[in-house]
Amino acid sequence: MRTASTLIAAALLIFGLSATAHAQATDNSCFALEGTSDYYFGEIDQNATVEHTFVFKNNCDRVIEIGSARASCGCTAAVISENSIAPGKEAKIQVKFTPPKGTRGRTTKTVSVYLKDEQQPHTVIRFSATVQTDIDVQPQYIQLMGGEVGKEISGVTTVKNVSQKELNIADVSVSMTTYADTSGTGNVVGLPLTNARVSPERFTLKAGESRDVTVFVTPQYKGQISGAVRLKAGDNEGMIQVFGVIRDATPNLQRSDAGQMLNSAPGR
């Protein structure tokens, strides 16, 4: 008759063999990226599209199936040469990157490579580039503070010509949206904010010259507002992000009303 210790030992042995077999079945480390998984494109123009091909080698003893290659940004396309890779064969993933409008400086994106029927990425490819442009906006974000319904608020940022030539910024456009519960039912909807404006609407900057740009908004509803201002000079574009939280308007007390309230206060 088997003792309890013998049964436990047998169970542990079976569990260990099962775990080892499972690990061997799911271990895909033999399918590996050749070279670096972090590629640097260097300095690129704002309107350029750059590409790089990453190569995977199947050193496993079985066919590997790639499920998908998912980019972290719509500005990136990832094309897989083939999804089914036999032992000893290669798969190429061509990555194409076009900087989003208004991008400047160092930017990093990723592509996650998934094997078939796996929930976690097998490999995460990273690539970066330093995007050059003629227009520098600092700060890139305007936070509109203390906004009230029906009262104009404004924010300022500085636009600088960082090129060696004169820039004519003749196309300045603004797009703003209000997110508010206009029906009082708790349903928040997005509404175009049509009375936003920018000053100056067009201007010229010499090489190295800067100029302040002011964004004016008159909120119509209590809630949040967000949007962007685009400044275009030829093929180059700068962008100003605008955010704000709007509250209900506070009643304005006339001086005479305020005096009457003060005089009628208890103890006067």
Side-chain angles (χ1 to χ4, degrees), residues 7-250:
L7 293 173
I8 293 173
L12 290 174
L13 177 61
I14 294 172
F15 176 79
L17 291 173
S18 175
T20 301
H22 178 74
Q24 290 175 345
T26 59
D27 181 13
N28 296 308
S29 60
C30 49
F31 181 69
L33 176 67
E34 295 193 327
T36 180
S37 62
D38 194 347
Y39 184 79
Y40 179 53
F41 284 107
E43 294 185 354
I44 65 173
D45 186 77
Q46 188 183 48
N47 301 291
T49 296
V50 292
E51 60 184 74
H52 179 73
T53 300
F54 295 88
V55 179
F56 285 83
K57 180 72 176 290
N58 184 5
N59 296 311
C60 307
D61 58 2
R62 67 188 188 285
V63 174
I64 294 294
E65 300 280 348
I66 297 179
S68 63
R70 305 174 191 173
S72 62
C73 171
C75 57
T76 302
V79 180
I80 306 171
S81 63
E82 51 190 296
N83 293 83
S84 182
I85 308 96
K89 299 299 183 179
E90 295 178 344
K92 297 179 180 179
I93 297 182
Q94 184 185 50
V95 174
K96 292 185 178 182
F97 170 63
T98 303
K101 293 298 184 182
T103 303
R104 184 176 187 272
R106 186 73 173 252
T107 183
T108 300
K109 305 298 179 184
T110 63
V111 174
S112 298
V113 180
Y114 291 81
L115 300 188
K116 187 177 180 180
D117 299 327
E118 293 197 357
Q119 301 301 316
Q120 298 298 322
H122 175 273
T123 304
V124 177
I125 298 169
R126 292 178 174 82
F127 63 89
S128 57
T130 301
V131 182
Q132 301 293 319
T133 183
D134 295 340
I135 304 172
D136 182 31
V137 178
Q138 294 296 336
Q140 293 181 311
Y141 301 91
I142 291 179
Q143 181 72 45
L144 297 174
M145 306 298 293
E148 294 185 9
V149 174
K151 296 182 180 180
E152 186 176 74
I153 51 176
S154 63
V156 181
T157 190
T158 301
V159 179
K160 184 177 181 179
N161 178 359
V162 293
S163 74
Q164 300 301 314
K165 60 182 183 292
E166 185 175 86
L167 291 181
N168 180 27
I169 302 179
D171 185 2
V172 179
S173 60
V174 56
S175 176
M176 296 289 296
T177 302
T178 296
Y179 298 93
D181 175 15
T182 58
S183 62
T185 60
N187 295 321
V188 175
V189 297
L191 302 169
L193 204 165
T194 57
N195 56 10
R197 61 187 179 90
V198 181
S199 179
E201 294 183 348
R202 55 181 56 87
F203 52 96
T204 299
L205 295 175
K206 297 179 181 179
E209 188 177 13
S210 301
R211 179 152 188 179
D212 286 347
V213 172
T214 306
V215 179
F216 298 90
V217 175
T218 303
Q220 297 169 288
Y221 303 100
K222 174 186 176 181
Q224 296 183 354
I225 58 173
S226 67
V229 176
R230 297 181 183 273
L231 307 100
K232 198 168 184 179
D235 293 332
N236 283 270
E237 184 175 288
M239 182 182 296
I240 308 167
Q241 299 285 346
V242 184
F243 304 95
V245 177
I246 308 304
R247 63 176 184 267
D248 285 328
T250 55

